[in-house]
Short mmCIF file of all heavy atoms in Angstrom, two decimals:
data_model
loop_
_atom_site.label_atom_id
_atom_site.label_comp_id
_atom_site.label_asym_id
_atom_site.label_seq_id
_atom_site.Cartn_x
_atom_site.Cartn_y
_atom_site.Cartn_z
N ILE B 27 18.74 23.24 11.17
CA ILE B 27 17.45 23.31 10.29
C ILE B 27 17.86 22.72 8.90
O ILE B 27 17.15 21.97 8.30
CB ILE B 27 16.81 24.57 10.26
CG1 ILE B 27 16.30 24.92 11.63
CG2 ILE B 27 15.60 24.58 9.17
CD1 ILE B 27 15.21 23.87 12.18
N ALA B 28 18.88 23.22 8.26
CA ALA B 28 19.42 22.86 6.94
C ALA B 28 19.56 21.30 6.97
O ALA B 28 19.30 20.52 6.02
CB ALA B 28 20.58 23.56 6.52
N CYS B 29 20.20 20.81 8.00
CA CYS B 29 20.59 19.28 8.19
C CYS B 29 19.27 18.48 8.22
O CYS B 29 19.07 17.48 7.54
CB CYS B 29 21.42 19.05 9.38
SG CYS B 29 23.17 19.49 9.14
N ALA B 30 18.21 19.02 8.95
CA ALA B 30 17.03 18.33 9.09
C ALA B 30 16.34 18.30 7.71
O ALA B 30 15.75 17.25 7.38
CB ALA B 30 16.16 18.94 10.12
N ARG B 31 16.41 19.46 6.99
CA ARG B 31 15.81 19.37 5.68
C ARG B 31 16.57 18.39 4.63
O ARG B 31 15.87 17.81 3.82
CB ARG B 31 15.88 20.85 5.05
CG ARG B 31 14.94 21.87 5.89
CD ARG B 31 13.61 21.72 5.42
NE ARG B 31 12.71 22.75 6.09
CZ ARG B 31 11.41 22.98 5.67
NH1 ARG B 31 10.79 22.23 4.92
NH2 ARG B 31 10.86 23.89 6.50
N LEU B 32 17.85 18.41 4.84
CA LEU B 32 18.65 17.38 4.03
C LEU B 32 18.23 15.90 4.26
O LEU B 32 18.00 15.14 3.33
CB LEU B 32 20.15 17.51 4.48
CG LEU B 32 21.16 16.64 3.74
CD1 LEU B 32 21.38 17.10 2.24
CD2 LEU B 32 22.49 16.59 4.57
N VAL B 33 18.01 15.66 5.63
CA VAL B 33 17.56 14.27 5.85
C VAL B 33 16.21 14.00 5.30
O VAL B 33 16.03 12.95 4.63
CB VAL B 33 17.50 14.10 7.41
CG1 VAL B 33 16.78 12.78 7.74
CG2 VAL B 33 18.91 14.14 7.93
N ARG B 34 15.27 14.96 5.50
CA ARG B 34 13.86 14.64 4.94
C ARG B 34 13.77 14.72 3.52
O ARG B 34 13.02 13.98 2.85
CB ARG B 34 12.97 15.68 5.68
CG ARG B 34 12.81 15.55 7.15
CD ARG B 34 11.55 16.19 7.67
NE ARG B 34 11.69 17.60 7.51
CZ ARG B 34 12.05 18.52 8.47
NH1 ARG B 34 12.55 17.95 9.62
NH2 ARG B 34 12.14 19.79 8.28
N GLY B 35 14.47 15.71 2.89
CA GLY B 35 14.40 15.87 1.44
C GLY B 35 15.00 14.85 0.58
O GLY B 35 14.63 14.67 -0.55
N GLU B 36 16.03 14.17 1.07
CA GLU B 36 16.73 13.19 0.24
C GLU B 36 16.55 11.77 0.70
O GLU B 36 17.26 10.87 0.23
CB GLU B 36 18.24 13.63 0.26
CG GLU B 36 18.62 14.93 -0.31
CD GLU B 36 20.09 15.27 -0.33
OE1 GLU B 36 20.89 14.36 0.05
OE2 GLU B 36 20.39 16.38 -0.61
N GLY B 37 15.72 11.54 1.64
CA GLY B 37 15.44 10.21 2.07
C GLY B 37 16.48 9.52 2.72
O GLY B 37 16.65 8.25 2.67
N ARG B 38 17.50 10.23 3.35
CA ARG B 38 18.55 9.65 4.08
C ARG B 38 18.10 8.89 5.26
O ARG B 38 17.01 9.08 5.76
CB ARG B 38 19.71 10.55 4.22
CG ARG B 38 20.33 11.20 3.16
CD ARG B 38 21.38 12.21 3.49
NE ARG B 38 22.15 12.56 2.21
CZ ARG B 38 23.11 11.98 1.64
NH1 ARG B 38 23.51 10.78 2.19
NH2 ARG B 38 23.65 12.42 0.57
N GLY B 39 19.08 8.18 5.87
CA GLY B 39 18.85 7.70 7.24
C GLY B 39 18.51 8.86 8.10
O GLY B 39 19.08 9.89 8.01
N ALA B 40 17.61 8.72 8.94
CA ALA B 40 16.90 9.84 9.70
C ALA B 40 17.77 10.24 10.90
O ALA B 40 17.42 11.30 11.49
CB ALA B 40 15.46 9.34 10.18
N ASN B 41 18.77 9.59 11.24
CA ASN B 41 19.46 9.88 12.42
C ASN B 41 21.04 10.44 12.04
O ASN B 41 21.72 9.65 11.53
CB ASN B 41 19.62 8.57 13.37
CG ASN B 41 18.43 8.21 13.88
OD1 ASN B 41 17.45 8.93 13.97
ND2 ASN B 41 18.26 6.90 14.14
N ILE B 42 21.20 11.65 12.32
CA ILE B 42 22.51 12.22 12.09
C ILE B 42 22.96 13.18 13.17
O ILE B 42 22.16 13.63 13.92
CB ILE B 42 22.40 13.16 10.73
CG1 ILE B 42 21.49 14.30 10.96
CG2 ILE B 42 22.10 12.23 9.47
CD1 ILE B 42 21.57 15.26 9.68
N ILE B 43 24.25 13.40 13.21
CA ILE B 43 24.80 14.40 14.13
C ILE B 43 25.37 15.63 13.17
O ILE B 43 26.19 15.35 12.35
CB ILE B 43 25.97 13.89 14.87
CG1 ILE B 43 25.49 12.79 15.93
CG2 ILE B 43 26.59 14.99 15.71
CD1 ILE B 43 26.49 12.03 16.65
N SER B 44 24.89 16.77 13.45
CA SER B 44 25.36 17.84 12.65
C SER B 44 26.65 18.39 13.30
O SER B 44 26.68 18.54 14.56
CB SER B 44 24.32 19.03 12.53
OG SER B 44 24.21 19.57 13.75
N PHE B 45 27.58 18.66 12.55
CA PHE B 45 28.87 19.27 13.05
C PHE B 45 29.28 20.42 12.23
O PHE B 45 29.50 20.41 11.02
CB PHE B 45 30.04 18.23 13.01
CG PHE B 45 31.35 18.81 13.51
CD1 PHE B 45 31.56 19.01 14.79
CD2 PHE B 45 32.29 19.04 12.52
CE1 PHE B 45 32.69 19.63 15.29
CE2 PHE B 45 33.53 19.52 13.03
CZ PHE B 45 33.72 19.84 14.37
N ASP B 46 29.22 21.57 12.90
CA ASP B 46 29.43 22.95 12.26
C ASP B 46 30.68 23.57 12.86
O ASP B 46 30.62 23.99 14.08
CB ASP B 46 28.12 23.77 12.45
CG ASP B 46 28.32 25.16 11.89
OD1 ASP B 46 29.36 25.46 11.35
OD2 ASP B 46 27.38 26.04 12.17
N MET B 47 31.62 23.78 12.09
CA MET B 47 32.95 24.37 12.65
C MET B 47 33.22 25.57 11.72
O MET B 47 33.45 25.49 10.54
CB MET B 47 34.14 23.39 12.68
CG MET B 47 35.35 24.02 13.21
SD MET B 47 36.72 22.95 13.08
CE MET B 47 38.22 23.97 13.59
N GLY B 48 33.23 26.78 12.37
CA GLY B 48 33.55 28.00 11.70
C GLY B 48 34.85 28.57 12.13
O GLY B 48 35.83 27.80 12.43
N GLY B 49 34.97 29.86 12.22
CA GLY B 49 36.21 30.46 12.62
C GLY B 49 36.34 30.65 14.07
O GLY B 49 37.49 30.81 14.58
N THR B 50 35.27 30.58 14.83
CA THR B 50 35.36 30.85 16.30
C THR B 50 34.90 29.70 17.17
O THR B 50 35.48 29.40 18.16
CB THR B 50 34.47 32.11 16.66
OG1 THR B 50 34.84 33.16 15.69
CG2 THR B 50 34.61 32.42 18.04
N THR B 51 34.01 28.96 16.62
CA THR B 51 33.46 27.83 17.48
C THR B 51 33.14 26.55 16.71
O THR B 51 33.12 26.65 15.51
CB THR B 51 32.02 28.23 18.22
OG1 THR B 51 31.19 28.66 17.18
CG2 THR B 51 32.29 29.39 19.22
N ALA B 52 32.94 25.53 17.36
CA ALA B 52 32.47 24.28 16.85
C ALA B 52 31.16 23.97 17.56
O ALA B 52 31.05 24.02 18.73
CB ALA B 52 33.41 23.04 17.04
N LYS B 53 30.14 23.55 16.76
CA LYS B 53 28.76 23.28 17.16
C LYS B 53 28.32 21.88 16.80
O LYS B 53 28.60 21.47 15.69
CB LYS B 53 27.77 24.31 16.62
CG LYS B 53 27.81 25.71 17.25
CD LYS B 53 28.77 26.58 16.69
CE LYS B 53 28.58 26.93 15.31
NZ LYS B 53 29.65 27.98 14.74
N ALA B 54 27.46 21.27 17.60
CA ALA B 54 26.93 19.91 17.30
C ALA B 54 25.53 19.84 17.70
O ALA B 54 25.24 20.48 18.70
CB ALA B 54 27.78 18.75 17.94
N ALA B 55 24.73 19.06 17.03
CA ALA B 55 23.38 18.87 17.37
C ALA B 55 22.93 17.46 16.90
O ALA B 55 23.59 16.98 15.96
CB ALA B 55 22.47 19.92 16.76
N LEU B 56 21.87 17.00 17.51
CA LEU B 56 21.44 15.68 17.20
C LEU B 56 20.08 15.67 16.48
O LEU B 56 19.20 16.54 16.80
CB LEU B 56 21.25 14.89 18.53
CG LEU B 56 20.98 13.36 18.41
CD1 LEU B 56 22.30 12.67 18.10
CD2 LEU B 56 20.40 12.86 19.81
N ILE B 57 20.00 14.87 15.33
CA ILE B 57 18.65 14.86 14.61
C ILE B 57 18.25 13.43 14.54
O ILE B 57 18.94 12.60 14.00
CB ILE B 57 18.88 15.52 13.22
CG1 ILE B 57 19.30 16.91 13.29
CG2 ILE B 57 17.65 15.34 12.29
CD1 ILE B 57 19.72 17.62 11.96
N GLU B 58 17.12 13.10 15.19
CA GLU B 58 16.61 11.76 15.18
C GLU B 58 15.26 11.75 14.51
O GLU B 58 14.37 12.62 14.68
CB GLU B 58 16.42 11.36 16.56
CG GLU B 58 17.78 11.08 17.35
CD GLU B 58 17.59 10.52 18.71
OE1 GLU B 58 17.20 11.25 19.65
OE2 GLU B 58 17.86 9.36 18.85
N ASN B 59 15.01 10.73 13.64
CA ASN B 59 13.77 10.63 12.92
C ASN B 59 13.52 11.90 12.10
O ASN B 59 12.30 12.23 11.87
CB ASN B 59 12.63 10.27 13.85
CG ASN B 59 12.93 9.00 14.65
OD1 ASN B 59 13.46 7.88 14.00
ND2 ASN B 59 12.61 8.91 15.85
N GLY B 60 14.49 12.51 11.60
CA GLY B 60 14.37 13.70 10.86
C GLY B 60 14.02 14.96 11.57
O GLY B 60 13.86 15.99 10.88
#
């Protein structure tokens, strides 16, 4: 959700892959058109 807000709030290209790596797992998600 923070990534989606980043895209919409800063007028970036609307298509991103979020990559979240912490101490236990790595997570990824797709954001298209914001």
